[in-house]
């Protein structure tokens, strides 16, 4: 309900805590889910960051003018705060998100024509997703879990919509590469 | 559009088609293409499986803390509404706030150690904000400024000696600075500004850091252009730079203020009119003849006026957001 959400923000801008609570109830689960993966499954850090998002909303609701959807606005704030948190902790998640040696991806490579086709093995892919860089994981998450279209994702990430479309394709390619690397480590072979 | 183009266009949108977050016009067009293209249909199958896997992997990510507990924590952390903006500024530089509390609060006046701490905190904050704002400025601003300065320098270099080659730089550089500044701030220039302002960085910091970045960039390039001209034609770099530096500061801040008060096009045009007004002479009929006058050199008055305009822009930027909100509410 975008119109209702905008009305909520207008009330928050006047200092209405009940309106903030309503918005928090609506968006906390989505933002928690998004930030949980952005922070590499750090639950306590995620809880803190979700609250930081709403502290930013409390402070900045007056600057919201309705050019973007409320959801897009909130995820943009969350995206920025997550990036700051990662930098602050010097975790370098983007470049080394996961130790491939410990990836332990149970890919049944012999069951499919190609590693890409093994995408059908949901359990394997769910774990392989953790091998992706934060950037690639994020675009998949925003498109498939949060349900944003390319234009909205572009606003959240601050990049052109064309880059969003190419990034999601690269994310898939990266996933395929991780599958390729994972298979020999498990002593399995890909049959084409 | 040939078949390959159609496939390429279709595949770009397939991830969103797979989860149904695509507009109806594109949906119809893609559905029609999928009915006749086996390759794209196969792609769709893969995207659907991938989307489903991503969704499944995300389904276990739920908050541990009960909503009421979490809300209680959040409400306890909310600053009082009236002071919300001030606290936002304080939280923006927590290190600065800590130093202030530990030194100013107890002793009344900052000690040398406190001042040093403040300097480090400010430097650390600037090192975070400036690179972020550099990425947010439109690339065309950087490219057009560099191109303009390069063209002015090349044109000046091709003129015969003592035929006004220095005047070319003196005339062009302030205008290039003003044109760039007209496009660094405001919703007309930055579609994501509203989102950027949702972060704890204040509108004033955003504006001033963007100004500092572009002005430094323009000034450095202009110094290089001046040095190159002096190298070819002789003269003194500092003396020539003094002819354009003050006017560049004045026209740049004028462009910035006009872009905030009116819009970027009026800002660039206004700066041009102001600058041309000193180049058009009517004494022997209308003609364009550019001569630098002491009034337009780098003088304390010009620099003071530039600073005043910058202060006006910085003062008005957050108010612009507030007024826009009031327009929306009422």
């Amino acid at each position: 309900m975008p119109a209702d959400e905008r009305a909520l923000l207008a009330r928050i801008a006047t200092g209405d805590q009940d309106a903030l609570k309503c918005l928090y109830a609506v968006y906390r689960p989505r933002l928690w889910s998004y930030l949980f993966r952005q922070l590499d499954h750090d639950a306590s850090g995620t809880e803190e960051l979700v609250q930081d998002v709403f502290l930013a909303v409390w402070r900045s609701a007056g600057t919201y003018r309705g050019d973007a959807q409320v959801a897009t606005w909130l995820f943009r704030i969350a995206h920025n705060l997550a990036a700051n948190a990662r930098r602050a902790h010097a975790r370098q998640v983007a470049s080394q998100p996961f130790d491939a040696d410990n990836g332990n991806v149970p890919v049944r490579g012999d069951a499919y024509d190609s590693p890409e086709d093994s995408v059908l093995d949901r359990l394997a892919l769910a774990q392989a997703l953790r091998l992706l860089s934060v950037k690639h994981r994020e675009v998949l998450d925003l498109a498939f879990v949060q349900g944003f279209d390319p234009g909205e994702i572009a606003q959240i990430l601050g990049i052109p919509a064309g880059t969003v479309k190419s990034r999601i394709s690269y994310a898939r390619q990266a996933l395929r590469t991780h599958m390729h690397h994972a298979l020999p480590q498990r002593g399995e072979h890909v049959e084409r | 559009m040939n078949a390959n183009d159609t496939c390429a266009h279709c595949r770009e949108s397939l991830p969103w088609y797979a989860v149904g977050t695509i507009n109806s016009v594109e949906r119809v067009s893609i559905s029609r293409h999928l009915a006749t293209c086996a390759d794209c249909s196969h792609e769709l199958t893969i995207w659907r499986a991938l989307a489903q896997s991503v969704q499944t992997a995300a389904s276990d990510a739920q908050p541990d803390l009960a909503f009421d507990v979490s809300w209680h924590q959040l409400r306890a952390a909310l600053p009082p509404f009236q002071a919300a903006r001030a606290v936002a500024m304080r939280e923006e530089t927590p290190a600065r706030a800590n130093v202030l509390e530990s030194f100013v609060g107890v002793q009344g006046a900052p000690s040398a150690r406190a001042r040093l701490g403040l300097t480090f905190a400010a430097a650390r904050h600037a090192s975070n904000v400036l690179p972020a704002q550099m990425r947010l400025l439109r690339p065309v601003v950087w490219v057009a400024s560099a191109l303009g300065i390069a063209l002015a320098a090349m044109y000046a270099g091709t003129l015969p000696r003592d035929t006004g080659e220095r005047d070319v730089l003196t005339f062009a550089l302030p205008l290039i600075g003003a044109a760039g500044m007209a496009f660094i701030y405001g919703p007309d220039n930055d579609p994501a500004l509203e989102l950027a302002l949702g972060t704890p960085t204040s509108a004033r910091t955003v504006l001033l850091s963007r100004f500092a970045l572009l002005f430094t960039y323009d000034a450095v390039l202009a110094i290089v252009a001046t040095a190159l001209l002096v190298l070819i034609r002789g003269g003194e770099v500092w003396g020539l730079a003094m002819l354009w530096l003050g006017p560049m500061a004045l026209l740049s801040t004028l462009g910035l203020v006009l872009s905030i008060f009116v819009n970027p096009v009026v800002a660039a045009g206004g700066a041009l009119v102001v600058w041309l007004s000193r180049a058009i002479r009517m004494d022997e009929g209308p003609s364009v003849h550019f001569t630098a006058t002491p009034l337009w050199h780098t003088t304390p008055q010009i620099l003071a006026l530039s600073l005043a305009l910058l202060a006006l822009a910085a003062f008005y930027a957050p108010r612009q957001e507030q007024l826009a909100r009031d327009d929306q509410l009422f």
Side-chain angles (χ1 to χ4, degrees):
Chain A
M1 293 288 180
D4 291 347
E5 290 171 356
R6 286 171 191 219
L8 281 179
L9 270 186
R11 283 170 53 198
I12 294 169
T14 63
D16 186 338
Q17 287 194 5
D18 290 338
L20 185 72
K21 188 177 182 182
C22 288
L23 198 69
Y24 192 53
V26 172
Y27 277 100
R28 180 176 176 244
R30 282 181 70 183
L31 287 167
W32 206 98
S33 159
Y34 165 71
L35 289 170
F36 183 62
R37 283 181 298 284
Q38 285 295 294
L39 296 188
D40 210 14
H41 296 201
D42 171 6
S44 64
T46 301
E47 183 69 35
E48 200 175 312
L49 214 55
V50 171
Q51 296 200 359
D52 284 349
V53 171
F54 284 87
L55 281 173
V57 169
W58 177 250
R59 288 189 301 247
S60 311
T63 66
Y64 178 80
R65 295 184 308 151
D67 291 349
Q69 295 290 332
V70 172
T72 314
W73 191 65
L74 290 174
F75 274 83
R76 166 73 173 184
I77 295 172
H79 165 77
N80 286 341
L81 289 176
N84 286 343
R86 281 196 303 272
R87 274 197 294 272
H89 291 97
R91 293 165 74 176
Q92 298 181 331
V93 180
S95 57
Q96 296 175 339
F98 199 74
D99 183 350
D101 290 339
N102 295 327
N104 195 28
V105 181
V107 176
R108 297 203 315 273
D110 54 346
Y112 305 102
D113 289 338
S114 73
E116 189 172 70
D117 284 346
S118 72
V119 82
L120 296 170
D121 185 331
R122 290 176 200 160
L123 179 61
L125 193 69
Q127 296 190 41
L129 280 168
R130 295 193 63 191
L131 292 164
L132 290 178
S133 69
V134 168
K135 205 165 66 172
H136 286 155
R137 234 186 301 161
E138 184 173 34
V139 74
L140 290 172
D141 194 75
L142 290 171
F144 296 150
V145 181
Q146 306 302 338
F148 289 112
D149 66 30
E152 290 167 334
I153 297 174
Q155 284 190 311
I156 291 168
L157 302 181
I159 58 177
T163 307
V164 172
K165 291 177 176 178
S166 55
R167 186 174 289 180
I168 204 167
S169 288
Y170 286 130
R172 198 179 106 183
Q173 283 174 24
L175 196 64
R176 185 166 72 168
T177 305
H178 286 308
M179 302 291 245
H180 271 300
H181 289 164
L183 293 176
Q185 287 168 13
R186 294 179 56 80
E188 295 179 4
H189 301 283
V190 181
E191 294 179 4
R192 288 184 177 275
Chain B
M1 195 181 282
N2 64 35
N4 285 341
D5 288 343
T6 311
C7 284
H9 178 71
C10 171
R11 288 183 189 195
E12 267 193 341
S13 301
L14 275 184
W16 289 274
Y17 181 91
V19 287
T21 51
I22 200 165
N23 67 54
S24 53
V25 176
E26 242 184 315
R27 168 172 301 283
V28 170
S29 152
I30 292 173
S31 298
R32 200 171 293 149
H33 175 71
L34 288 172
T36 61
C37 181
D39 287 346
C40 286
S41 296
H42 177 65
E43 281 289 301
L44 177 62
T45 309
I46 293 174
W47 279 117
R48 277 195 172 135
L50 178 55
Q52 204 166 1
S53 297
V54 173
Q55 288 161 357
T56 306
S59 61
D60 60 345
Q62 296 297 328
D64 299 330
L65 215 55
F67 175 79
D68 287 342
V69 178
S70 176
W71 166 247
H72 181 73
Q73 287 179 353
L74 174 61
R75 196 172 55 178
L78 291 179
F81 179 69
Q82 290 301 328
R85 282 303 302 169
V87 174
M89 295 297 289
R90 204 182 79 162
E91 287 178 357
E92 198 177 336
T93 51
R96 186 174 189 274
N98 291 341
V99 171
L100 276 172
E101 278 169 10
S102 60
F103 292 93
V104 181
V106 176
Q107 299 169 7
S111 64
R113 190 176 154 207
R115 279 198 296 273
L116 189 65
L118 284 174
T119 308
F120 280 132
R124 208 163 40 238
H125 182 53
S127 71
N128 288 333
V129 171
L130 289 177
Q133 292 303 322
M134 192 182 292
R135 286 196 297 274
L136 287 174
L137 278 178
R138 290 184 169 190
V140 69
V141 172
W142 303 110
V143 176
S145 297
L147 203 60
I149 292 171
L151 285 174
M154 281 193 286
Y155 177 63
T158 57
L159 290 177
R161 187 179 292 274
D162 297 330
T163 55
E165 67 269 29
R166 286 174 180 75
D167 289 343
V168 170
L169 283 193
T170 312
F171 182 72
L173 295 177
L175 269 185
I176 293 165
M181 277 316 160
F183 293 90
I184 65 168
Y185 189 83
D188 291 339
N189 296 322
D190 184 357
L193 181 68
E194 181 180 319
L195 303 171
L197 292 176
T199 63
T201 303
S202 71
R204 210 162 272 155
T205 307
V206 169
L207 174 82
L208 292 176
S209 52
R210 289 182 181 188
F211 176 84
L213 283 168
L214 187 60
F215 189 79
T216 307
Y217 175 78
D218 284 343
V220 168
L221 289 182
I223 287 281
V224 171
T226 304
L228 286 175
L229 189 66
V230 166
L231 198 66
I232 299 168
R233 295 298 161 83
E236 193 198 346
V237 175
W238 183 249
L240 184 51
M242 285 300 101
L243 290 178
W244 55 255
L245 187 60
M248 182 190 258
L250 183 62
L251 284 199
S252 295
T253 48
L254 179 66
L256 185 63
V257 166
L258 287 177
S259 76
I260 291 172
F261 276 83
V262 194
N263 64 49
V265 176
V266 170
L272 180 65
V273 168
V274 168
W275 199 226
L276 279 178
S277 67
R278 60 175 292 227
I280 298 174
R281 284 184 164 183
M282 300 297 289
D283 48 354
E284 295 173 3
S287 66
V288 176
H289 183 80
F290 189 85
T291 50
T293 67
L295 178 67
W296 287 91
H297 288 182
T298 304
T299 63
Q301 292 87 344
I302 292 278
L303 293 179
L305 188 56
S306 307
L307 276 177
L309 285 171
L310 186 60
L312 179 65
F315 173 75
Y316 188 73
R319 289 177 58 81
Q320 183 195 35
E321 295 305 318
Q322 183 65 33
L323 291 173
R325 178 172 69 85
D326 291 347
D327 288 347
Q328 187 193 349
L329 287 176
F330 303 107

